[in-house]
Amino acid sequence: MVAGAPRIFVSHLAGVPVFDPTGDQVGRVRDLVAMLRVGGRPPRLLGLVVEVLSRRRIFVPMTRVTGIESGQVITTGVVNMRRFEQRPTERLVLGEFLDRRVRLVETGEEVTILDVSIQQLPARRDWEIDKYFVRKGKGGALRRKGQTLTVEWSSVSGFTLEEDGQGTESLVATFEQLRPTDVANAVHHLSPKRRAEVAAALDDDRLADVLEELPEDDQVEIIGKLQEERAAHVLEAMDPDDAADLLSGLPEEDKERLLTLMRPGDAADVRRLMSYEERTAGGLMTTEPIILRPDATVADALARVRQSDLSPALAAQVYVCRSPDETPTGKYLGTVHFQRLLRDPPYALVSSIVDSDLVPLAPDTPLPTVTSYLAAYNLVSVPVVDESGSLLGAVTVDDVLDHLLPEDWRETDFHGEEEIARGR
C-alpha cells in the first residue's frame, strides 16, 4: 500500500488470514501492535499479532508485510515462531485503542474510539496510525445514539508521550528517531539498571542493531541480563560476525547454551566465524553478502541491492557464484559492482558483466593485508574464498575500521546523546 491507496481500518483486519508468498496460510490476524511517540507524532505501527495453526500467537513485523488487500495479508514468508510478548512501550490497537474514551483536542468533548485507520508512509516500509473513527456521547447503553465522525489522529488527545517523561516509554520513543550508532552512544551512558530496562523495551531487531554498535563490555552485560530464549533470538537478528564477536566474550558454558538455542543455520554460521582468528579475513567477514547465480539478471541484482536492511557496504556489490547460493557457496565466479548494474540493461545476465580480475582473499589473510587490499583497489567490501573456490563471506570496510580505531573510540559523544540518555 502506498500514499493514495484506500484507507485500511483495523477492525477489517481482525481475523483475516495471513499467507506466505507461496499461498500457504500462516495464521490469522488477532491484533496490531503500535508504539506511542513523542513530539506530537502519530503512533507507529510495529506489526501484527498472528495466531498460527498451533494456536500460538506470534509477532510479524510490518517490514515482513508485503500486501494487505482483498481480506488477506501477504508476508515475505520469513516468520519468527517465538510466542508474542507485549513490551512496555507497545500498545495493542484492537485490545487497547478500540472503545477507549478520549477527548477531542479542539472542543474537549469526550468521544469513544470505534475504529482506527492505518497508512503506509510513501517510499518507506513504515506504517502509522492515520485517523480515528469516533462516536460522540457517553458510551454504554447510549453509544449507538451519538454522532459518528472520522478525525485526524492529531485531533484526539491521549496517544502521544510527553517529551520530558522519565520513564522507559519516553526514552525508547526518543531513541526511535536516532540511528543505531547514536542510540548505542546514549545507552552506553545509562546506568546498568536503565540499560537493562531499555533493552527489555526494544524489539529484537532494534536491540540487535544497537548491540552491534556498543562496546564489548556493554554487549556482554546486556545479553547476560536477557532471558536466554530472547538472547538467542537477538543474536539471530545480529550480523553473524557481530554475534560471533559477542559470544566470544561470554563464558564457554553460556556461549554453548545460547548457540544451542539459536536456529541451526544461524548457529552454524556463527560457529564457523568463531573458528577463525579474530584479526583475519575469516574472523572479520560476514557470511551474508548478496549472492546471485550466473543466470540472474541485472534486474534481479538491483532488487536485492534495494533491500533496506542491507548496509551500504554490502549493497555496493553482488557476488556471482554457482549453486548453492548460500555460504559456503559453489564456485565463486566474480563480483558485479553497483555502478556497473546501473549502466547495463535490466535483462542482461550478471554472468556477462562479472568482474573476475581481482583475486579474492583467503580466510587466514591478516588484518593489515585486508586493509591494504581495500585501500589499494578503492573497495568497500572484498570477497573471502576458500581453497576449493567457494565464497565464504565478505569483509566490509566498517568491520575493518572497528579493528583499526582505538579501543575506546565508541566513548565519543558525537551529537549530545548523553543528554538524551539522561532524559533532558
Side-chain angles (χ1 to χ4, degrees), residues 18-39:
V18 178
F19 296 94
D20 65 18
T22 64
D24 293 329
Q25 185 171 339
V26 176
R28 290 186 178 274
V29 176
R30 294 307 180 201
D31 215 319
L32 298 89
V33 184
M35 184 177 74
L36 304 185
R37 301 198 282 188
V38 297

Side-chain angles (χ1 to χ4, degrees), residues 152-415:
E152 298 288 340
W153 63 267
S154 56
S155 300
V156 173
S157 63
F159 288 111
T160 57
L161 297 172
E162 296 298 328
E163 294 275 6
D164 58 355
Q166 291 297 313
T168 303
E169 285 186 346
S170 290
L171 188 59
V172 172
T174 302
F175 285 166
E176 185 199 5
Q177 305 171 48
L178 304 177
R179 293 176 179 269
T181 298
D182 298 329
V183 176
N185 189 42
V187 168
H188 174 68
H189 290 93
L190 294 171
S191 67
K193 177 177 179 296
R194 293 287 279 162
R195 270 199 294 270
E197 292 171 349
V198 170
L202 293 172
D203 64 63
D204 291 352
D205 289 339
R206 183 65 162 166
L207 180 56
D209 290 340
V210 172
L211 281 176
E212 290 174 0
E213 305 298 335
L214 281 169
E216 182 179 332
D217 290 346
D218 290 345
Q219 291 180 337
V220 171
E221 174 198 302
I222 290 173
I223 209 75
K225 291 183 178 178
L226 299 178
Q227 292 183 350
E228 287 187 344
E229 184 179 357
R230 189 189 177 208
H233 285 291
V234 172
L235 288 166
E236 291 169 355
M238 296 176 67
D239 288 337
D241 53 328
D242 291 306
D245 290 342
L246 195 164
L247 285 169
S248 297
L250 297 178
E252 193 64 32
E253 59 273 17
D254 295 340
K255 180 194 312 178
E256 284 301 319
R257 192 158 54 246
L258 289 173
L259 283 167
T260 302
L261 290 172
M262 292 173 65
R263 289 191 294 260
D266 293 319
D269 286 342
V270 173
R271 288 182 187 278
R272 181 151 48 91
L273 289 169
M274 293 171 63
S275 69
Y276 298 111
E277 292 293 331
E278 181 181 2
R279 296 173 69 84
T280 64
L284 295 168
M285 70 182 180
T286 176
T287 57
E288 298 178 344
I290 302 176
I291 299 170
L292 294 172
R293 297 181 185 180
D295 58 351
T297 64
V298 167
D300 296 328
L302 289 173
R304 294 286 300 278
V305 166
R306 279 196 295 268
Q307 293 178 359
S308 61
D309 56 348
L310 286 172
S311 69
L314 284 179
Q317 60 281 302
V318 300
Y319 299 103
V320 182
C321 306
R322 299 200 183 280
S323 182
D325 49 6
E326 293 184 358
T327 56
T329 67
K331 182 176 177 58
Y332 167 72
L333 301 178
T335 302
V336 182
H337 297 279
F338 177 64
Q339 284 184 321
R340 182 61 192 268
L341 292 173
L342 296 177
R343 292 197 297 263
D344 282 82
Y347 55 80
L349 298 181
V350 292
S351 57
S352 67
I353 57 174
V354 70
D355 180 358
S356 57
D357 291 340
L358 292 179
V359 179
L361 299 180
D364 58 354
T365 304
L367 175 60
T369 303
V370 176
T371 305
S372 300
Y373 188 101
L374 289 168
Y377 295 106
N378 297 315
L379 299 174
V380 293
S381 179
V382 56
V384 180
V385 174
D386 65 13
E387 293 179 352
S388 67
S390 297
L391 181 71
L392 300 176
V395 179
T396 58
V397 67
D398 54 322
D399 290 322
V400 171
L401 285 174
D402 280 346
H403 288 77
L404 293 179
L405 291 169
E407 291 186 5
D408 62 348
W409 73 269
R410 295 183 188 273
E411 301 290 334
T412 305
D413 185 16
F414 296 109
H415 305 294

